[in-house]
Amino acid sequence: MTANRLAASIFSFFAASGLVCTAAYAASPVKIGLIQPLTGSVAYNGQADVNGAKLAVAVINKAGGVLGHPLELTIEDGQCNPANTVNAAEKLVQKDKVSALIGAFCSSATAAIMPVAQKYRIPLLTGVSSEADLTEKGNPWFFRAAETDQLLARSFAPTLIRTLSLKRVAYVGVNDDWGRGGVQAFQQALQAGGVQTASTDYFDHGATDFYTLLAKLRASGADGLFVAAETQDGSTLVKQLKELGLNIKVFGVGSWATSDFIDLAGPAAEGVYAAVPYASTLATPENSAFVNSYTTVYKAPPGKYGAAGYNAVEIMAAAIQRAGSTDADRIRAALLQTDYQAPNGRYRFTAKGQAYGFSLVLVQIHNKVPQVVATTTVGAPH
């Protein structure tokens, strides 16, 4: 389906459901700027985040909007490129006059706009970027409604070691802040559990040829492969892995539990383990309602990025409502008071802006379904 046809079908659903605002209601909106990668190798995932964000806006506006006004998203394509993301943030703040920013998916891109948020004193919330140091930079305008790589590694390394009988693991990650951070976090956690490192390799976004890397993997003697990758790169890697007949246990972080990855990878997705903050198969009433709504609109169940976009908009909109104003200082103070029941748990923030209280999930892809293997909850940091 083309982007125009998809947009038309979504609009038709929203209109039929009473989720589209009238022209009179649409005056004087409360504006939130959203920066996601909509082109490039991470576009599948960025678009999923936007889909979730749009669904949240529709739900919020059907319930009366924010501060008696409709909520409006102004969306920019940051391409997961730090320079492009900074340009997008500057436009959203200076030209579009948004009251808050959400973005920017890749940790390196989010890190690039954190100084922009601080310069203009505007709240910035990411629902995706998981590089741990982001909330250690002392930026009072930055909030993260997502897990960190270390949290995932500490939570699930023991289960992976036990379930997969891991002895020697090879590590592969995309060569950016997130990929390197994910490899480092899981490598440390698995080594602490007695697992040896067979090899460590990185690839660039948009890579299409993993054969040389996989040949090295074959010679390494690894019995497990950890991968930090998003939809396009990850699906290409596992398909080439299967093509070469490598019998190795695959697990990792990224987009493994999403319908886009499962569809693109095809049979190669079978058996892959993923450590994620969200899976559509989570058994909670809030998640059942969210999955039904999302699937009705987008004809596929949500993955972690659809949930991330939905949660981020809900959290920011609720903070603006609590603030009683679009004043940035009041919104920032209201974000610190967040207590949001999401499809995947309860979100609250530490003084550093790190969310806690939500679920983390280890899943295995079986018959195209991310089946839950283990769950845990992110506790408040000590």
PDB file of all heavy atoms in Angstrom, residues 175-205:
ATOM      1  N   ASN A 175      26.810   0.152  13.797  1.00  0.00           N
ATOM      2  CA  ASN A 175      27.900   0.992  14.275  1.00  0.00           C
ATOM      3  C   ASN A 175      27.409   2.409  14.600  1.00  0.00           C
ATOM      4  O   ASN A 175      27.711   3.373  13.901  1.00  0.00           O
ATOM      5  CB  ASN A 175      29.024   1.032  13.240  1.00  0.00           C
ATOM      6  CG  ASN A 175      30.300   1.628  13.807  1.00  0.00           C
ATOM      7  OD1 ASN A 175      30.499   1.664  15.027  1.00  0.00           O
ATOM      8  ND2 ASN A 175      31.172   2.088  12.930  1.00  0.00           N
ATOM      9  N   ASP A 176      26.623   2.504  15.668  1.00  0.00           N
ATOM     10  CA  ASP A 176      26.228   3.805  16.205  1.00  0.00           C
ATOM     11  C   ASP A 176      26.183   3.697  17.724  1.00  0.00           C
ATOM     12  O   ASP A 176      26.523   2.656  18.293  1.00  0.00           O
ATOM     13  CB  ASP A 176      24.892   4.291  15.613  1.00  0.00           C
ATOM     14  CG  ASP A 176      23.705   3.405  15.969  1.00  0.00           C
ATOM     15  OD1 ASP A 176      23.837   2.504  16.832  1.00  0.00           O
ATOM     16  OD2 ASP A 176      22.617   3.621  15.395  1.00  0.00           O
ATOM     17  N   ASP A 177      25.784   4.786  18.397  1.00  0.00           N
ATOM     18  CA  ASP A 177      25.802   4.786  19.866  1.00  0.00           C
ATOM     19  C   ASP A 177      24.975   3.645  20.444  1.00  0.00           C
ATOM     20  O   ASP A 177      25.383   2.978  21.399  1.00  0.00           O
ATOM     21  CB  ASP A 177      25.274   6.126  20.403  1.00  0.00           C
ATOM     22  CG  ASP A 177      26.215   7.281  20.139  1.00  0.00           C
ATOM     23  OD1 ASP A 177      27.374   7.021  19.736  1.00  0.00           O
ATOM     24  OD2 ASP A 177      25.801   8.439  20.326  1.00  0.00           O
ATOM     25  N   TRP A 178      23.780   3.432  19.850  1.00  0.00           N
ATOM     26  CA  TRP A 178      22.895   2.385  20.365  1.00  0.00           C
ATOM     27  C   TRP A 178      23.473   0.997  20.134  1.00  0.00           C
ATOM     28  O   TRP A 178      23.507   0.158  21.048  1.00  0.00           O
ATOM     29  CB  TRP A 178      21.512   2.494  19.716  1.00  0.00           C
ATOM     30  CG  TRP A 178      20.657   1.311  19.999  1.00  0.00           C
ATOM     31  CD1 TRP A 178      20.080   0.980  21.191  1.00  0.00           C
ATOM     32  CD2 TRP A 178      20.315   0.254  19.088  1.00  0.00           C
ATOM     33  NE1 TRP A 178      19.390  -0.213  21.078  1.00  0.00           N
ATOM     34  CE2 TRP A 178      19.516  -0.658  19.798  1.00  0.00           C
ATOM     35  CE3 TRP A 178      20.600   0.024  17.748  1.00  0.00           C
ATOM     36  CZ2 TRP A 178      18.998  -1.806  19.195  1.00  0.00           C
ATOM     37  CZ3 TRP A 178      20.081  -1.112  17.144  1.00  0.00           C
ATOM     38  CH2 TRP A 178      19.293  -2.020  17.869  1.00  0.00           C
ATOM     39  N   GLY A 179      23.946   0.728  18.918  1.00  0.00           N
ATOM     40  CA  GLY A 179      24.478  -0.597  18.612  1.00  0.00           C
ATOM     41  C   GLY A 179      25.685  -0.942  19.459  1.00  0.00           C
ATOM     42  O   GLY A 179      25.790  -2.041  20.008  1.00  0.00           O
ATOM     43  N   ARG A 180      26.605   0.017  19.582  1.00  0.00           N
ATOM     44  CA  ARG A 180      27.792  -0.237  20.404  1.00  0.00           C
ATOM     45  C   ARG A 180      27.419  -0.398  21.878  1.00  0.00           C
ATOM     46  O   ARG A 180      27.974  -1.248  22.585  1.00  0.00           O
ATOM     47  CB  ARG A 180      28.797   0.905  20.233  1.00  0.00           C
ATOM     48  CG  ARG A 180      29.436   0.952  18.834  1.00  0.00           C
ATOM     49  CD  ARG A 180      30.552   1.977  18.775  1.00  0.00           C
ATOM     50  NE  ARG A 180      30.063   3.329  18.998  1.00  0.00           N
ATOM     51  CZ  ARG A 180      29.623   4.158  18.062  1.00  0.00           C
ATOM     52  NH1 ARG A 180      29.618   3.755  16.792  1.00  0.00           N
ATOM     53  NH2 ARG A 180      29.204   5.369  18.355  1.00  0.00           N
ATOM     54  N   GLY A 181      26.464   0.423  22.338  1.00  0.00           N
ATOM     55  CA  GLY A 181      26.032   0.320  23.734  1.00  0.00           C
ATOM     56  C   GLY A 181      25.347  -0.994  24.026  1.00  0.00           C
ATOM     57  O   GLY A 181      25.550  -1.598  25.092  1.00  0.00           O
ATOM     58  N   GLY A 182      24.513  -1.463  23.085  1.00  0.00           N
ATOM     59  CA  GLY A 182      23.826  -2.732  23.274  1.00  0.00           C
ATOM     60  C   GLY A 182      24.791  -3.904  23.318  1.00  0.00           C
ATOM     61  O   GLY A 182      24.667  -4.800  24.160  1.00  0.00           O
ATOM     62  N   VAL A 183      25.768  -3.909  22.410  1.00  0.00           N
ATOM     63  CA  VAL A 183      26.770  -4.969  22.408  1.00  0.00           C
ATOM     64  C   VAL A 183      27.542  -4.965  23.724  1.00  0.00           C
ATOM     65  O   VAL A 183      27.738  -6.014  24.364  1.00  0.00           O
ATOM     66  CB  VAL A 183      27.733  -4.799  21.214  1.00  0.00           C
ATOM     67  CG1 VAL A 183      28.988  -5.657  21.410  1.00  0.00           C
ATOM     68  CG2 VAL A 183      27.042  -5.186  19.916  1.00  0.00           C
ATOM     69  N   GLN A 184      27.986  -3.797  24.143  1.00  0.00           N
ATOM     70  CA  GLN A 184      28.773  -3.708  25.377  1.00  0.00           C
ATOM     71  C   GLN A 184      27.976  -4.190  26.589  1.00  0.00           C
ATOM     72  O   GLN A 184      28.491  -4.939  27.432  1.00  0.00           O
ATOM     73  CB  GLN A 184      29.237  -2.274  25.602  1.00  0.00           C
ATOM     74  CG  GLN A 184      30.115  -2.103  26.840  1.00  0.00           C
ATOM     75  CD  GLN A 184      30.534  -0.665  27.048  1.00  0.00           C
ATOM     76  OE1 GLN A 184      29.776   0.266  26.814  1.00  0.00           O
ATOM     77  NE2 GLN A 184      31.764  -0.470  27.499  1.00  0.00           N
ATOM     78  N   ALA A 185      26.709  -3.770  26.677  1.00  0.00           N
ATOM     79  CA  ALA A 185      25.891  -4.130  27.838  1.00  0.00           C
ATOM     80  C   ALA A 185      25.676  -5.639  27.914  1.00  0.00           C
ATOM     81  O   ALA A 185      25.813  -6.256  28.974  1.00  0.00           O
ATOM     82  CB  ALA A 185      24.550  -3.396  27.781  1.00  0.00           C
ATOM     83  N   PHE A 186      25.325  -6.265  26.786  1.00  0.00           N
ATOM     84  CA  PHE A 186      25.069  -7.702  26.816  1.00  0.00           C
ATOM     85  C   PHE A 186      26.366  -8.500  26.944  1.00  0.00           C
ATOM     86  O   PHE A 186      26.388  -9.557  27.582  1.00  0.00           O
ATOM     87  CB  PHE A 186      24.275  -8.126  25.578  1.00  0.00           C
ATOM     88  CG  PHE A 186      22.792  -8.020  25.776  1.00  0.00           C
ATOM     89  CD1 PHE A 186      22.149  -6.805  25.625  1.00  0.00           C
ATOM     90  CD2 PHE A 186      22.048  -9.120  26.153  1.00  0.00           C
ATOM     91  CE1 PHE A 186      20.780  -6.690  25.835  1.00  0.00           C
ATOM     92  CE2 PHE A 186      20.682  -9.025  26.364  1.00  0.00           C
ATOM     93  CZ  PHE A 186      20.043  -7.800  26.204  1.00  0.00           C
ATOM     94  N   GLN A 187      27.423  -8.010  26.348  1.00  0.00           N
ATOM     95  CA  GLN A 187      28.705  -8.691  26.486  1.00  0.00           C
ATOM     96  C   GLN A 187      29.137  -8.743  27.946  1.00  0.00           C
ATOM     97  O   GLN A 187      29.545  -9.791  28.453  1.00  0.00           O
ATOM     98  CB  GLN A 187      29.753  -7.976  25.640  1.00  0.00           C
ATOM     99  CG  GLN A 187      31.055  -8.728  25.465  1.00  0.00           C
ATOM    100  CD  GLN A 187      31.945  -8.028  24.461  1.00  0.00           C
ATOM    101  OE1 GLN A 187      32.056  -6.809  24.431  1.00  0.00           O
ATOM    102  NE2 GLN A 187      32.587  -8.815  23.603  1.00  0.00           N
ATOM    103  N   GLN A 188      29.010  -7.630  28.641  1.00  0.00           N
ATOM    104  CA  GLN A 188      29.386  -7.586  30.062  1.00  0.00           C
ATOM    105  C   GLN A 188      28.492  -8.489  30.899  1.00  0.00           C
ATOM    106  O   GLN A 188      28.977  -9.220  31.775  1.00  0.00           O
ATOM    107  CB  GLN A 188      29.322  -6.149  30.565  1.00  0.00           C
ATOM    108  CG  GLN A 188      30.415  -5.252  30.015  1.00  0.00           C
ATOM    109  CD  GLN A 188      30.255  -3.803  30.440  1.00  0.00           C
ATOM    110  OE1 GLN A 188      29.206  -3.395  30.954  1.00  0.00           O
ATOM    111  NE2 GLN A 188      31.289  -3.001  30.230  1.00  0.00           N
ATOM    112  N   ALA A 189      27.184  -8.450  30.631  1.00  0.00           N
ATOM    113  CA  ALA A 189      26.253  -9.253  31.425  1.00  0.00           C
ATOM    114  C   ALA A 189      26.447 -10.745  31.179  1.00  0.00           C
ATOM    115  O   ALA A 189      26.398 -11.557  32.115  1.00  0.00           O
ATOM    116  CB  ALA A 189      24.812  -8.852  31.109  1.00  0.00           C
ATOM    117  N   LEU A 190      26.679 -11.137  29.935  1.00  0.00           N
ATOM    118  CA  LEU A 190      26.870 -12.553  29.632  1.00  0.00           C
ATOM    119  C   LEU A 190      28.227 -13.050  30.134  1.00  0.00           C
ATOM    120  O   LEU A 190      28.337 -14.185  30.621  1.00  0.00           O
ATOM    121  CB  LEU A 190      26.735 -12.789  28.129  1.00  0.00           C
ATOM    122  CG  LEU A 190      25.311 -12.599  27.568  1.00  0.00           C
ATOM    123  CD1 LEU A 190      25.326 -12.634  26.049  1.00  0.00           C
ATOM    124  CD2 LEU A 190      24.360 -13.647  28.107  1.00  0.00           C
ATOM    125  N   GLN A 191      29.247 -12.220  30.023  1.00  0.00           N
ATOM    126  CA  GLN A 191      30.555 -12.611  30.552  1.00  0.00           C
ATOM    127  C   GLN A 191      30.492 -12.804  32.066  1.00  0.00           C
ATOM    128  O   GLN A 191      31.124 -13.722  32.608  1.00  0.00           O
ATOM    129  CB  GLN A 191      31.602 -11.561  30.195  1.00  0.00           C
ATOM    130  CG  GLN A 191      32.047 -11.607  28.748  1.00  0.00           C
ATOM    131  CD  GLN A 191      33.043 -10.509  28.406  1.00  0.00           C
ATOM    132  OE1 GLN A 191      33.177  -9.514  29.125  1.00  0.00           O
ATOM    133  NE2 GLN A 191      33.744 -10.677  27.304  1.00  0.00           N
ATOM    134  N   ALA A 192      29.703 -11.953  32.737  1.00  0.00           N
ATOM    135  CA  ALA A 192      29.545 -12.110  34.185  1.00  0.00           C
ATOM    136  C   ALA A 192      28.893 -13.438  34.535  1.00  0.00           C
ATOM    137  O   ALA A 192      29.077 -13.964  35.643  1.00  0.00           O
ATOM    138  CB  ALA A 192      28.715 -10.953  34.749  1.00  0.00           C
ATOM    139  N   GLY A 193      28.141 -14.001  33.583  1.00  0.00           N
ATOM    140  CA  GLY A 193      27.512 -15.303  33.784  1.00  0.00           C
ATOM    141  C   GLY A 193      28.348 -16.458  33.271  1.00  0.00           C
ATOM    142  O   GLY A 193      27.844 -17.582  33.172  1.00  0.00           O
ATOM    143  N   GLY A 194      29.600 -16.192  32.906  1.00  0.00           N
ATOM    144  CA  GLY A 194      30.502 -17.250  32.483  1.00  0.00           C
ATOM    145  C   GLY A 194      30.549 -17.530  30.997  1.00  0.00           C
ATOM    146  O   GLY A 194      31.173 -18.506  30.569  1.00  0.00           O
ATOM    147  N   VAL A 195      29.916 -16.687  30.183  1.00  0.00           N
ATOM    148  CA  VAL A 195      29.894 -16.901  28.730  1.00  0.00           C
ATOM    149  C   VAL A 195      31.116 -16.243  28.091  1.00  0.00           C
ATOM    150  O   VAL A 195      31.400 -15.067  28.335  1.00  0.00           O
ATOM    151  CB  VAL A 195      28.604 -16.329  28.111  1.00  0.00           C
ATOM    152  CG1 VAL A 195      28.617 -16.498  26.591  1.00  0.00           C
ATOM    153  CG2 VAL A 195      27.381 -17.026  28.707  1.00  0.00           C
ATOM    154  N   GLN A 196      31.824 -16.983  27.252  1.00  0.00           N
ATOM    155  CA  GLN A 196      32.997 -16.443  26.561  1.00  0.00           C
ATOM    156  C   GLN A 196      32.584 -15.634  25.344  1.00  0.00           C
ATOM    157  O   GLN A 196      31.520 -15.850  24.767  1.00  0.00           O
ATOM    158  CB  GLN A 196      33.917 -17.592  26.124  1.00  0.00           C
ATOM    159  CG  GLN A 196      34.520 -18.390  27.258  1.00  0.00           C
ATOM    160  CD  GLN A 196      35.418 -19.503  26.745  1.00  0.00           C
ATOM    161  OE1 GLN A 196      35.387 -19.861  25.577  1.00  0.00           O
ATOM    162  NE2 GLN A 196      36.234 -20.048  27.635  1.00  0.00           N
ATOM    163  N   THR A 197      33.444 -14.690  24.944  1.00  0.00           N
ATOM    164  CA  THR A 197      33.213 -13.895  23.742  1.00  0.00           C
ATOM    165  C   THR A 197      33.965 -14.512  22.571  1.00  0.00           C
ATOM    166  O   THR A 197      35.183 -14.697  22.634  1.00  0.00           O
ATOM    167  CB  THR A 197      33.689 -12.444  23.943  1.00  0.00           C
ATOM    168  OG1 THR A 197      32.875 -11.831  24.950  1.00  0.00           O
ATOM    169  CG2 THR A 197      33.578 -11.646  22.654  1.00  0.00           C
ATOM    170  N   ALA A 198      33.234 -14.825  21.495  1.00  0.00           N
ATOM    171  CA  ALA A 198      33.850 -15.424  20.308  1.00  0.00           C
ATOM    172  C   ALA A 198      34.364 -14.352  19.358  1.00  0.00           C
ATOM    173  O   ALA A 198      35.451 -14.481  18.786  1.00  0.00           O
ATOM    174  CB  ALA A 198      32.835 -16.310  19.589  1.00  0.00           C
ATOM    175  N   SER A 199      33.599 -13.268  19.179  1.00  0.00           N
ATOM    176  CA  SER A 199      33.989 -12.190  18.270  1.00  0.00           C
ATOM    177  C   SER A 199      33.064 -11.005  18.491  1.00  0.00           C
ATOM    178  O   SER A 199      31.973 -11.145  19.056  1.00  0.00           O
ATOM    179  CB  SER A 199      33.917 -12.644  16.806  1.00  0.00           C
ATOM    180  OG  SER A 199      32.588 -13.043  16.480  1.00  0.00           O
ATOM    181  N   THR A 200      33.497  -9.837  18.029  1.00  0.00           N
ATOM    182  CA  THR A 200      32.682  -8.617  18.103  1.00  0.00           C
ATOM    183  C   THR A 200      32.844  -7.864  16.794  1.00  0.00           C
ATOM    184  O   THR A 200      33.966  -7.552  16.386  1.00  0.00           O
ATOM    185  CB  THR A 200      33.129  -7.713  19.271  1.00  0.00           C
ATOM    186  OG1 THR A 200      33.053  -8.453  20.494  1.00  0.00           O
ATOM    187  CG2 THR A 200      32.239  -6.486  19.371  1.00  0.00           C
ATOM    188  N   ASP A 201      31.730  -7.581  16.120  1.00  0.00           N
ATOM    189  CA  ASP A 201      31.765  -6.902  14.821  1.00  0.00           C
ATOM    190  C   ASP A 201      30.642  -5.883  14.725  1.00  0.00           C
ATOM    191  O   ASP A 201      29.578  -6.037  15.360  1.00  0.00           O
ATOM    192  CB  ASP A 201      31.609  -7.917  13.686  1.00  0.00           C
ATOM    193  CG  ASP A 201      32.802  -8.850  13.568  1.00  0.00           C
ATOM    194  OD1 ASP A 201      33.833  -8.407  13.033  1.00  0.00           O
ATOM    195  OD2 ASP A 201      32.699 -10.005  14.043  1.00  0.00           O
ATOM    196  N   TYR A 202      30.881  -4.856  13.896  1.00  0.00           N
ATOM    197  CA  TYR A 202      29.887  -3.810  13.679  1.00  0.00           C
ATOM    198  C   TYR A 202      29.678  -3.608  12.182  1.00  0.00           C
ATOM    199  O   TYR A 202      30.551  -3.896  11.361  1.00  0.00           O
ATOM    200  CB  TYR A 202      30.341  -2.497  14.323  1.00  0.00           C
ATOM    201  CG  TYR A 202      30.450  -2.600  15.834  1.00  0.00           C
ATOM    202  CD1 TYR A 202      31.669  -2.841  16.444  1.00  0.00           C
ATOM    203  CD2 TYR A 202      29.315  -2.483  16.633  1.00  0.00           C
ATOM    204  CE1 TYR A 202      31.766  -2.965  17.819  1.00  0.00           C
ATOM    205  CE2 TYR A 202      29.405  -2.605  18.016  1.00  0.00           C
ATOM    206  CZ  TYR A 202      30.632  -2.846  18.603  1.00  0.00           C
ATOM    207  OH  TYR A 202      30.726  -2.979  19.961  1.00  0.00           O
ATOM    208  N   PHE A 203      28.487  -3.111  11.840  1.00  0.00           N
ATOM    209  CA  PHE A 203      28.153  -2.829  10.444  1.00  0.00           C
ATOM    210  C   PHE A 203      27.475  -1.462  10.361  1.00  0.00           C
ATOM    211  O   PHE A 203      26.977  -0.938  11.362  1.00  0.00           O
ATOM    212  CB  PHE A 203      27.224  -3.915   9.880  1.00  0.00           C
ATOM    213  CG  PHE A 203      25.906  -4.017  10.605  1.00  0.00           C
ATOM    214  CD1 PHE A 203      24.817  -3.243  10.222  1.00  0.00           C
ATOM    215  CD2 PHE A 203      25.755  -4.884  11.687  1.00  0.00           C
ATOM    216  CE1 PHE A 203      23.602  -3.327  10.898  1.00  0.00           C
ATOM    217  CE2 PHE A 203      24.553  -4.975  12.364  1.00  0.00           C
ATOM    218  CZ  PHE A 203      23.475  -4.191  11.969  1.00  0.00           C
ATOM    219  N   ASP A 204      27.441  -0.895   9.166  1.00  0.00           N
ATOM    220  CA  ASP A 204      26.816   0.411   8.971  1.00  0.00           C
ATOM    221  C   ASP A 204      25.321   0.269   8.690  1.00  0.00           C
ATOM    222  O   ASP A 204      24.870  -0.744   8.147  1.00  0.00           O
ATOM    223  CB  ASP A 204      27.479   1.148   7.801  1.00  0.00           C
ATOM    224  CG  ASP A 204      28.922   1.527   8.101  1.00  0.00           C
ATOM    225  OD1 ASP A 204      29.227   1.792   9.286  1.00  0.00           O
ATOM    226  OD2 ASP A 204      29.736   1.542   7.156  1.00  0.00           O
ATOM    227  N   HIS A 205      24.554   1.303   9.077  1.00  0.00           N
ATOM    228  CA  HIS A 205      23.133   1.336   8.720  1.00  0.00           C
ATOM    229  C   HIS A 205      22.967   1.089   7.222  1.00  0.00           C
ATOM    230  O   HIS A 205      23.713   1.638   6.397  1.00  0.00           O
ATOM    231  CB  HIS A 205      22.528   2.705   9.057  1.00  0.00           C
ATOM    232  CG  HIS A 205      22.207   2.882  10.504  1.00  0.00           C
ATOM    233  ND1 HIS A 205      21.128   2.270  11.111  1.00  0.00           N
ATOM    234  CD2 HIS A 205      22.806   3.621  11.468  1.00  0.00           C
ATOM    235  CE1 HIS A 205      21.079   2.622  12.382  1.00  0.00           C
ATOM    236  NE2 HIS A 205      22.078   3.435  12.625  1.00  0.00           N
TER     237      HIS A 205
END
